[in-house]
Amino acid sequence: MSANPASAAPEAEQPSTGSGPGFRIPKVPFWAQIVAGLVLGVLLGWLARSQEIGWLVTTLDEIGSLFVQLLKLAVAPLVFFAILVSITNLRQVNNAARLATRTLLWFMITSLIAVAIGLTIGLVTNPGSGTGLTPKDGKLSETKGSWIDFLTGIVPDSVITPFTELNVLQIVFMAAVAGVAALKLGEKAKPILTLSQSVLELLQKALWWVIRLAPIGTVGLIGYAIADYGWDLIGKYATFTADVYIGCAIVLFGVYPLLLATVAKVSPLQFFKGAWPAIQLAFVSRSSVGTMPVTQKVTERLGVPKEYTSFAVPFGATTKMDGCAAIYPALAAIFIAQIFDVQLGIGDYLLIAFVSVIGSAATAGLTGATVMLTLTLSTLGLPLEGVGLLMAIDPILDMIRTATNVAGQAVVPVIVAAREKILDHEKYNSASASPIDAFGDTDQDEVRDAEPKGAVPVTA
């Protein structure tokens, strides 16, 4: 009799740690693993640079590159099936068209607020002044974006090319067309939709295994950034770096909480408590799409109906980029204009806002925002060589940008759900800051979520 409680104790503790077969450090919280990865990466990067240890620099580069490559490997099929399934799931939602329109509207409103903040900070701080950088320090970007490329590039030349070249915008287009066609076909498309849901769950499970490698990937990404660029280079971009972090912080911890409190009329602190696992993963992985399964889970736990979340989050992961497509290009345009001694006027600032609100899909939810930046520069007529000035510092900036992106991708569904009176306030107020490890236990989550929803199909 006395042996039973003892033997049962480890089993009872297991769900709280999220441990599973092969998980070697179940007692260490995921956030602590991330912090350890950051610290170790900085130390190894500093050691490799100060002691000129070439093999260590190469190793850090390979580790970080492999982690990003694994994330990108799942991006194309994940985006396609997530968008397809999310569109078809809208048929289960009352006023689906109204929800979709409100979601897009709030995406645009928050992007406009974010770009206004970026422009204001840039005009006040003059990030390109006193850096010591000159136009000669820039190099022509190999990745270019223009409105012609953006508009004509939406429609792919073939079905295969968007997947092989990882053109997310074209993948979104094909998935949207397939989703609408499936809705029109009705019952005839049911086998395809069942297969799509199964493939999506398979991809999300595989991506979860990659997410668990984030602490190791962090060591490589941060370590290589320090080893290759060093603190001296970061010092040249001190004002610009501070501007990006301050701008993102204002949106993340100022604008979003204000909208939640005044528009959605819910507790901002409770939002961050529930959404923090996705925000911290976004900071490390630098990929909105890679974080998407966790973002969807935390949004559901915050009381947003699953059938709406399965549309809003995938849609946002490919188009909602307040950090990469609003704050960053606004500041970068001012920075580059000052380096190249180009005067910007009110019309140019309005163009920056327009590009940020309309063209954010060009960022594609991947690491980096080069396409969006070149799109902005080409619209303003600024030299594309300016992109080369920012490439070195980009990994450091991309962490906070992506964290802001993902937070916005969760905030908007909460706002829309609250405004449309479909938000489960009891669930929202009871959302816990579960360790990110728990998000791999999809079976337990789905069983619990299925109880109040009955026959609602599970998509994640």
Side-chain angles (χ1 to χ4, degrees):
M1 295 285 291
S2 61
N4 290 337
S7 61
E11 295 179 2
E13 293 174 358
Q14 190 171 354
S16 64
T17 61
S19 60
F23 194 67
R24 299 180 181 276
I25 45 176
K27 293 185 179 180
V28 180
F30 192 83
W31 68 266
Q33 297 176 39
I34 295 295
V35 172
L38 285 168
V39 173
L40 182 59
V42 170
L43 291 176
L44 290 178
W46 172 80
L47 180 64
R49 184 174 179 84
S50 62
Q51 301 300 318
E52 297 183 356
I53 307 175
W55 66 265
L56 183 54
V57 176
T58 302
T59 301
L60 292 171
D61 184 26
E62 291 295 329
I63 292 174
S65 299
L66 181 60
F67 176 66
V68 174
Q69 185 177 337
L70 287 171
L71 284 175
K72 287 185 175 182
L73 186 63
V75 164
L78 181 67
V79 168
F80 180 84
F81 287 105
I83 295 295
L84 190 157
V85 171
S86 67
I87 289 176
T88 58
N89 276 349
L90 277 178
R91 64 184 174 182
Q92 304 166 45
V93 185
N94 292 330
N95 298 319
R98 177 186 173 93
L99 279 176
T101 303
R102 289 294 179 93
T103 301
L104 180 59
L105 179 63
W106 276 104
F107 281 175
M108 297 174 68
I109 291 173
T110 51
S111 294
L112 188 59
I113 295 173
V115 72
I117 290 173
L119 288 172
T120 301
I121 293 175
L123 291 174
V124 170
T125 61
N126 297 316
S129 302
T131 62
L133 296 169
T134 67
K136 294 181 180 179
D137 295 316
K139 60 181 179 180
L140 191 63
S141 172
E142 296 179 0
T143 304
K144 299 180 181 179
S146 67
W147 282 107
I148 298 298
D149 294 334
F150 176 69
L151 295 174
T152 60
I154 294 176
V155 182
D157 295 327
S158 70
V159 176
I160 304 298
T161 303
F163 292 90
T164 57
E165 297 182 357
L166 204 57
N167 189 322
V168 176
L169 192 57
Q170 293 182 352
I171 295 172
V172 170
F173 173 80
M174 291 194 300
V177 171
V180 173
L183 284 176
K184 294 296 183 182
L185 283 175
E187 286 298 317
K188 293 181 180 179
K190 189 173 181 179
I192 296 296
L193 296 181
T194 301
L195 175 63
S196 298
Q197 288 178 341
S198 298
V199 172
L200 180 59
E201 291 180 14
L202 184 150
L203 289 168
Q204 290 180 328
K205 174 60 72 174
L207 185 59
W208 172 248
W209 296 337
V210 177
I211 289 172
R212 289 197 175 214
L213 297 175
I216 299 175
T218 302
V219 175
L221 291 170
I222 300 299
Y224 179 72
I226 300 299
D228 193 41
Y229 306 127
W231 298 111
D232 294 338
L233 182 62
I234 296 176
K236 292 183 179 180
Y237 296 86
T239 301
F240 181 73
T241 302
D243 284 354
V244 172
Y245 269 77
I246 291 172
C248 287
I250 290 174
V251 172
L252 185 58
F253 300 112
V255 174
Y256 292 158
L258 183 62
L259 290 175
L260 288 167
T262 59
V263 179
K265 300 187 185 305
V266 295
S267 167
L269 290 178
Q270 187 64 27
F271 169 81
F272 284 106
K273 185 178 179 181
W276 194 252
I279 296 173
Q280 75 170 16
L281 179 62
F283 185 85
V284 174
S285 68
R286 298 167 43 215
S287 172
S288 296
V289 173
T291 310
M292 185 172 68
V294 178
T295 309
Q296 190 165 329
K297 281 292 182 183
V298 300
T299 307
E300 291 170 12
R301 289 189 174 187
L302 285 167
V304 180
K306 177 175 286 189
E307 55 269 31
Y308 170 53
T309 301
S310 66
F311 162 77
V313 172
F315 184 46
T318 53
T319 60
K320 173 62 177 168
M321 306 287 163
D322 287 344
C324 290
I327 297 171
Y328 175 70
L331 285 167
I334 294 174
F335 176 83
I336 291 170
Q338 291 176 347
I339 296 295
F340 284 83
D341 197 24
V342 177
Q343 297 297 319
L344 297 178
I346 295 178
D348 296 312
Y349 299 132
L350 292 176
L351 273 177
I352 293 174
F354 176 77
V355 174
S356 298
V357 173
I358 303 300
S360 60
T363 56
L366 300 174
T367 55
T370 304
V371 174
M372 184 63 193
L373 179 55
T374 58
L375 180 63
T376 304
L377 295 183
S378 63
T379 301
L380 296 173
L382 291 173
L384 293 182
E385 286 84 355
V387 178
L389 289 168
L390 299 174
M391 290 303 293
I393 200 69
D394 191 72
I396 303 298
L397 304 178
D398 201 27
M399 294 187 292
I400 189 64
R401 292 191 318 231
T402 308
T404 305
N405 294 343
V406 168
Q409 292 158 18
V411 163
V412 169
V414 170
I415 292 175
V416 173
R419 297 278 293 179
E420 297 298 313
K421 303 187 186 307
I422 59 174
L423 182 70
D424 187 337
H425 286 270
E426 183 178 349
K427 199 171 181 181
Y428 181 94
N429 293 326
S430 62
S432 62
S434 303
I436 199 171
D437 312 59
F439 288 85
D441 301 330
T442 55
D443 294 339
Q444 293 179 2
D445 289 338
E446 288 172 1
V447 168
R448 186 196 63 211
D449 291 342
E451 291 176 357
K453 296 187 180 292
V456 175
V458 176
T459 62

